[in-house]
Amino acid sequence: VVVVPRERFSEAAASLASIVRHTAPPDQLVYVDGASPAPVRRAFRASAARSGFRVLRQDRYLSPNAARNLGLAAVATPYVVFVDNDLYVRPGWLDALVRCAEQS
C-alpha cells in the first residue's frame, strides 16, 4: 500500500490512522510525504514508529504521479495499491482487492 499526497493535508493523519487500523501485517505500507506541515509530519513519524511502516519524506510538494513513482520504487510486493492521503478504508478492504486481482 502506497499512500500519496493530494492537494490538502487536513485529512491526512486521520486517513493514515484508518489505513493502519484496517490493514493487517504483513502487508507493507509506504507513506510518501511531500512537504507536509510540521504537525502532520510529526503525526506521520509517530504513527510509523508505532506501526512499523516506512515514510518517504520530500521537502517539496509532489504531484500525485511523482509520489506514486517514489512509492513504487520502495516496494517489492506482487501487488501495489495506491491510495490518496484523504481516503478512509474499512475492515477487509485490502483483502477484497487482492481476491479480485487473483481471480483475474
Side-chain angles (χ1 to χ4, degrees), residues 7-43:
E7 303 84 21
R8 62 187 180 145
F9 293 101
S10 60
E11 297 292 321
S15 168
L16 176 58
S18 165
I19 294 165
V20 168
R21 183 172 45 255
H22 299 302
T23 306
D27 296 316
Q28 184 179 13
L29 175 62
V30 175
Y31 199 100
V32 181
D33 176 11
S36 65
V40 176
R41 182 174 59 248
R42 286 191 295 272

Side-chain angles (χ1 to χ4, degrees), residues 74-95:
V75 298
T77 53
Y79 303 111
V80 178
V81 176
F82 296 104
V83 297
D84 293 340
N85 70 348
D86 58 359
L87 177 79
Y88 292 85
V89 299
R90 293 180 170 193
W93 75 280
L94 189 56
D95 294 333

Side-chain angles (χ1 to χ4, degrees), residues 44-99:
F44 296 159
R45 288 182 181 159
S47 183
R50 284 189 308 273
S51 303
F53 62 88
R54 186 171 175 192
V55 177
L56 301 178
R57 169 76 182 172
Q58 296 288 309
D59 290 326
R60 62 183 174 83
Y61 175 77
L62 298 168
S63 70
N65 281 339
R68 287 182 194 108
N69 287 334
L70 284 173
L72 181 61
V75 298
T77 53
Y79 303 111
V80 178
V81 176
F82 296 104
V83 297
D84 293 340
N85 70 348
D86 58 359
L87 177 79
Y88 292 85
V89 299
R90 293 180 170 193
W93 75 280
L94 189 56
D95 294 333
L97 291 174
V98 171
R99 278 193 309 275

